[in-house]
Amino acid sequence: MVSVINTVDTSHEDMIHDAQMDYYGTRLATCSSDRTVKIFDVRNGGQILVADLRGHEGPVWQVAWAHPMYGNILASCSYDRKVIVWKEENGSWDKMYEYTGHESSMNSVCWGPYDFGLILACGSSDGAISLLTFTGEQQWDVKKISNAHTIGCNAVSWAPAVVPGSLVDQPSGQKPNYVKRFVSGGCDNLVKLWKEEDGQWKEDQKLEAHSDWVRDVGWAPSIGLPTSTIASCSQDGRVFIWTCEDPTGNTWTPKLLHKFVDVVWHVSWSITGNILAVSGGDNKVTHHTHNSEEIKTENG
């Protein structure tokens, strides 16, 4: 069983769509259909509203914290077609950047591993995915993957910067060969893998198993072991775990984790990549312990 440790009264005036703790677990960011993003200080069991960020003109679907080595930075995306990057300077939060390069709802934002600098992947209902990279001096470089998913992209998630197997076969003192990769899920029922080659983003793999819209994808954190793992969930009620043990990254095998009776909205990995939290249309969260031999499920 999962027990409630603490509750936060956000004072949002409409449905809350996302809530994310920062890297240190001291701040909570929430976003809502009331068009606002709120940040709370939740240290020592408290809950102090430290910022009420207003800049979106529609429901705000998702928030994402950047790595703290870049300061206190939060991205938000909305039905208003905008992505806003907020930054705290001297105790006050302001817009650092506003991106308006899409023609439809912005559904998902995800910061890349800190090794790559400040880089944000954004998925939109117009079917495209944008990659926004901070280049310094208030400048952002924009790369767009047009028609990544026909009808729309619902979710994006970055691969860890650690190369699979680096823990076991990296020569000492040699810098690992980092490749920028991420996974996306869309309204074409597909899970797609993307990688950067010579500064351009290319479709690397197309993973087919779902029979309805893919609602969320999550690339599991790597602890340096040889296997890459991705979770995907869908309107079809199914959660798949995709694994790749081949160092070239070409062979992905799906395993049905569970078939729920209703839509599955979100999948989220623990920091060590061995527990998957799944939330669905039945308002329940289930936790699945994952290792290469077995997958165990417990209801929360």
Side-chain angles (χ1 to χ4, degrees):
M1 282 296 294
V2 176
S3 55
V4 175
I5 297 167
N6 197 5
T7 58
V8 176
D9 177 11
T10 64
S11 302
H12 276 298
E13 292 162 17
D14 208 332
M15 183 179 280
I16 296 169
H17 298 292
D18 197 17
Q20 295 291 334
M21 299 290 276
D22 71 353
Y23 183 84
Y24 297 114
T26 59
R27 287 180 168 185
L28 175 73
T30 59
C31 61
S32 163
S33 280
D34 68 8
R35 306 177 176 193
T36 68
V37 173
K38 296 190 181 196
I39 297 172
F40 298 87
D41 184 326
V42 291
R43 278 178 295 195
N44 306 321
Q47 40 182 284
I48 302 158
L49 178 66
V50 292
D52 187 339
L53 306 178
R54 295 169 186 267
H56 285 295
E57 297 155 54
V60 187
W61 302 130
Q62 208 171 48
V63 285
W65 291 95
H67 192 278
M69 71 183 286
Y70 300 109
N72 289 329
I73 294 175
L74 183 76
S76 57
C77 63
S78 165
Y79 181 76
D80 68 5
R81 311 191 291 276
K82 289 193 293 198
V83 169
I84 300 177
V85 178
W86 310 86
K87 183 166 187 181
E88 184 187 36
E89 297 272 18
N90 306 320
S92 75
W93 286 84
D94 288 301
K95 277 186 202 176
M96 180 185 183
Y97 181 57
E98 186 172 303
Y99 177 60
T100 55
H102 286 268
E103 290 153 30
S104 196
S105 174
M106 298 302 300
N107 300 326
S108 183
V109 280
C110 185
W111 291 102
Y114 69 85
D115 316 68
F116 301 140
L118 269 181
I119 179 167
L120 186 69
C122 319
S124 170
S125 287
D126 66 9
I129 296 170
S130 287
L131 285 304
L132 314 178
T133 306
F134 182 62
T135 54
E137 298 303 311
Q138 298 175 325
Q139 295 296 309
W140 291 76
D141 173 67
V142 177
K143 287 203 167 73
K144 192 189 261 194
I145 304 169
S146 299
N147 204 26
H149 290 275
T150 47
I151 337 176
C153 174
N154 295 322
V156 285
S157 176
W158 284 84
V162 183
V163 181
S166 58
L167 196 69
V168 277
D169 42 279
Q170 195 64 42
S172 59
Q174 190 176 317
K175 197 162 188 274
N177 175 28
Y178 292 139
V179 180
K180 290 185 188 141
R181 293 189 300 164
F182 69 90
V183 59
S184 62
C187 303
D188 50 8
N189 310 349
L190 295 174
V191 172
K192 289 188 177 185
L193 309 189
W194 308 87
K195 80 170 170 192
E196 190 187 48
E197 281 179 5
D198 306 322
Q200 296 303 311
W201 285 93
K202 302 211 166 81
E203 184 181 312
D204 190 37
Q205 289 281 309
K206 194 182 284 182
L207 308 182
E208 302 182 56
H210 289 291
S211 57
D212 207 335
W213 289 14
V214 177
R215 284 294 180 183
D216 200 12
V217 287
W219 202 309
S222 167
I223 47 170
L225 297 175
T227 308
S228 293
T229 308
I230 291 169
S232 63
C233 66
S234 165
Q235 197 76 29
D236 65 15
R238 291 185 294 181
V239 177
F240 280 99
I241 305 289
W242 304 83
T243 50
C244 175
E245 307 202 12
D246 144 30
T248 59
N250 292 331
T251 315
W252 289 82
T253 310
K255 181 172 182 179
L256 181 64
L257 173 63
H258 197 68
K259 168 77 170 78
F260 293 87
V261 292
D262 206 342
V263 54
V264 184
W265 294 107
H266 289 296
V267 285
S268 176
W269 290 101
S270 62
I271 286 175
T272 47
N274 63 338
I275 297 173
L276 180 72
V278 176
S279 61
D282 58 1
N283 292 332
K284 286 199 180 77
V285 176
T286 58
H287 293 86
H288 308 265
T289 309
H290 173 258
N291 59 38
S292 49
E293 286 78 45
E294 52 141 6
I295 293 169
K296 191 173 81 222
T297 301
E298 68 173 77
N299 282 303

